[in-house]
């Protein structure tokens, strides 16, 4: 019965059902059995800062019309990066959806990592809400079912193995994501044409760094042994897969 529920949730991931926006997380019954206010985060989410999404849209429009539209870090580059951000934040939400689904099967993972998953799912949903509010629909990735399913599987599989595997996976994902965001932030800061967008991206990046550090800390607290060959190999696969997914999302 529990595995049948996982199959139904897999279908829901493809369809985009079961995850709700930030307002829904706060106000509606949680799909994993928690009340809307039951999982207050232990760490302040940097992206909870107020951002002027209309100003971000104006910055993007001005960039398209100005000198910043051309060159290696021009408008086409930026729109591709924002499309990859949309894909990444979608996948991130579903990593934690998948982890929470798997915890209904693996009680040891639930005991060690449930609050971790709930806290970080909330932050990733906040990031996704911001990206969707700031980036016009035509600038978003068109492969959302793929990114939802990929994220869900990346949460389910390691969580079924145990909390240590989940923490190692999150650490690998966030190692890539920090680098990915900084590759956007550095040119934007040098260019100076999109200060509000840059501020939003930096806040999201700082949250991802916290997620990586929290995963490493939780792994140590759970008594995980230093990463061996198998763990390092898995983390390399996760980082490489994340990079490949980002490249696809820049284009589609």
């Amino acid at each position: 019965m529990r595995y049948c529920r996982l199959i139904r949730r897999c279908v829901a991931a493809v369809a985009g059902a079961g995850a709700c926006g930030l307002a829904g997380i706060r106000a509606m019954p949680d799909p994993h059995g928690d009340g809307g206010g039951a999982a207050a985060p232990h760490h302040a989410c940097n992206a909870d800062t107020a951002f002027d999404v209309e100003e971000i849209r104006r910055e993007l429009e001005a960039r398209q019309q100005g000198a910043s539209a051309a060159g290696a870090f021009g408008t086409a580059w930026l729109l591709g990066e924002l499309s990859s951000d949309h894909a990444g934040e979608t996948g991130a939400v579903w990593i934690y959806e998948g982890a929470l689904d798997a915890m209904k099967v693996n009680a040891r993972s639930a005991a060690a990592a449930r609050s971790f998953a709930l806290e970080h799912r909330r932050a990733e949903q906040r990031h996704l809400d911001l990206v969707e509010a700031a980036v016009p629909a035509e600038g978003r990735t068109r492969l959302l079912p793929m990114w939802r399913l990929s994220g869900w599987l990346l949460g389910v599989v390691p969580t079924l193995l145990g909390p240590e595997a989940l923490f190692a996976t999150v650490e690998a994902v966030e190692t890539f994501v920090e680098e990915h965001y900084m590759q956007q932030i550095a040119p934007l800061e040098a260019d100076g044409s999109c200060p509000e967008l840059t501020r939003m991206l930096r806040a999201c990046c700082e949250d991802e760094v916290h997620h990586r550090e929290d995963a490493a800390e939780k792994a140590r607290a759970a008594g995980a042994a230093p990463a061996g060959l198998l763990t390092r190999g898995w983390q390399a696969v996760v980082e490489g897969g994340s990079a490949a997914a980002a490249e696809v999302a820049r284009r589609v």
Side-chain angles (χ1 to χ4, degrees), residues 41-119:
H42 302 295
H43 171 82
C45 176
N46 289 289
D48 278 341
T49 303
F51 297 97
D52 187 341
V53 294
E54 292 302 323
E55 176 61 22
I56 292 172
R57 289 199 173 207
R58 285 192 291 269
E59 289 174 353
L60 292 173
E61 290 173 3
R63 188 182 179 90
Q64 287 180 295
Q65 298 169 5
S68 297
F73 298 110
T75 300
W77 165 81
L78 181 55
L79 293 179
E81 292 300 314
L82 292 175
S83 177
S84 72
D85 292 342
H86 183 226
E89 297 299 352
T90 298
V93 169
W94 281 92
I95 286 174
Y96 294 110
E97 289 287 333
L100 288 162
D101 287 333
M103 287 175 196
K104 294 173 182 175
V105 176
N106 188 327
R108 191 170 76 86
S109 287
R114 185 173 176 77
S115 62
F116 168 89
L118 287 168
E119 174 187 336

Side-chain angles (χ1 to χ4, degrees), residues 214-236:
D214 194 29
E217 181 181 339
K218 292 291 194 301
R220 289 191 294 269
L229 183 61
L230 184 60
T231 298
R232 292 197 300 272
W234 169 245
Q235 289 180 317

Side-chain angles (χ1 to χ4, degrees), residues 86-209:
H86 183 226
E89 297 299 352
T90 298
V93 169
W94 281 92
I95 286 174
Y96 294 110
E97 289 287 333
L100 288 162
D101 287 333
M103 287 175 196
K104 294 173 182 175
V105 176
N106 188 327
R108 191 170 76 86
S109 287
R114 185 173 176 77
S115 62
F116 168 89
L118 287 168
E119 174 187 336
H120 295 322
R121 181 189 62 172
R122 179 192 178 280
E124 300 295 0
Q125 184 65 60
R126 171 59 174 163
H127 296 175
L128 180 57
D129 290 346
L130 284 170
V131 171
E132 290 190 337
V135 179
E138 62 271 18
R140 303 173 194 167
T141 177
R142 299 189 297 277
L143 299 177
L144 286 180
M146 179 186 298
W147 308 133
R148 288 192 294 259
L149 179 60
S150 299
W152 187 82
L153 291 171
L154 197 54
V156 165
V157 173
T159 306
L160 289 175
L161 295 175
E164 300 86 354
L166 173 63
F167 297 140
T169 300
V170 170
E171 186 177 1
V173 169
E174 301 297 16
T175 295
F176 164 77
V177 173
E178 180 189 9
E179 179 181 345
H180 176 69
Y181 268 128
M182 289 308 302
Q183 288 173 347
Q184 299 168 22
I185 291 167
L188 287 172
E189 286 185 336
D191 178 84
S193 64
C194 298
E196 188 68 1
L197 172 62
T198 305
R199 190 169 71 92
M200 185 189 84
L201 294 176
R202 183 167 285 283
C204 292
C205 184
E206 289 170 355
D207 285 335
E208 309 295 3
V209 170

